[in-house]
Amino acid sequence: MATILVLHGPNLNLLGSREPVIYGHATLEDINQKLTALCIEAGHHLQVLQSNAEYELIERIHEAKNEGVNFIIFNPAAFTHTSIALRDALAAVDIPFIECHLSNVHKREEFRKTSYFSDLAAGVICGFGPQSYELALQAAISLSKDK
Ligand code: DQA
């Protein structure tokens, strides 16, 4: 049984009402419920945190190491394009992670094409709306089995 941690970055608590043309109508609660159900079905354990604060995400990543979390699915949201501190946290704990985005960041503004995470990630999934998380979970489960 693997423990998978899903981290959602800033403004993702507003999913459902936030720019629905870009991010869709599903709420964060909808996404988390779906992921939890899929994880239980596969016999794994899911933990979730959304935070608008960089330091909270950093501290959660540090704790994940002590707790023996096997895999992280991370949507760093706007921190994708800015946060060396979160990148360093992931490098420090050395837990494999998947970078995940609802929107196709490569189809949007120029600044969204830069990520501080992609080169450290096991893989990157973007552009499939809430399904990006489900695809990331599938990959995390299958990569956890390989261990
Ligand atoms: C996002 C894309 C980011 O560029 C943006 O800042 C977000 C959400 C996505 O899931 O598509 O907040 O990570």
Side-chain angles (χ1 to χ4, degrees), residues 10 12 18 23 75-78 80-81 100-103 105 108 112:
L12 294 171
R18 175 192 181 197
Y23 298 115
N75 183 349
T80 308
H81 322 295
C100 174
H101 302 280
L102 294 140
S103 65
V105 285
R108 300 181 63 193
R112 292 189 205 275

Side-chain angles (χ1 to χ4, degrees), residues 23-131:
Y23 298 115
H25 292 280
T27 64
L28 193 62
E29 190 51 33
D30 296 335
I31 292 171
N32 289 338
Q33 274 179 13
K34 177 80 187 187
L35 294 179
T36 303
L38 289 171
C39 222
I40 290 171
E41 203 178 291
H44 299 292
H45 180 55
L46 193 82
Q47 298 186 355
V48 181
L49 173 75
Q50 187 278 327
S51 179
N52 295 319
E54 194 176 27
Y55 85 94
E56 277 183 6
L57 293 163
I58 292 169
E59 291 191 347
R60 189 65 194 87
I61 291 166
H62 294 175
E63 280 165 20
K65 185 69 180 177
N66 301 330
E67 290 168 7
V69 166
N70 303 95
F71 224 98
I72 296 175
I73 295 169
F74 192 17
N75 183 349
F79 290 145
T80 308
H81 322 295
T82 63
S83 184
I84 297 170
L86 276 164
R87 175 195 169 88
D88 285 352
L90 285 161
V93 298
D94 199 24
I95 299 171
F97 74 95
I98 295 172
E99 178 185 342
C100 174
H101 302 280
L102 294 140
S103 65
N104 180 352
V105 285
H106 301 287
K107 243 170 131 178
R108 300 181 63 193
E109 301 96 323
E110 240 353 87
F111 68 84
R112 292 189 205 275
K113 294 181 185 160
T114 301
S115 166
Y116 279 103
F117 300 91
S118 301
D119 64 310
L120 289 186
V124 182
I125 298 175
C126 73
F128 300 102
Q131 218 197 332

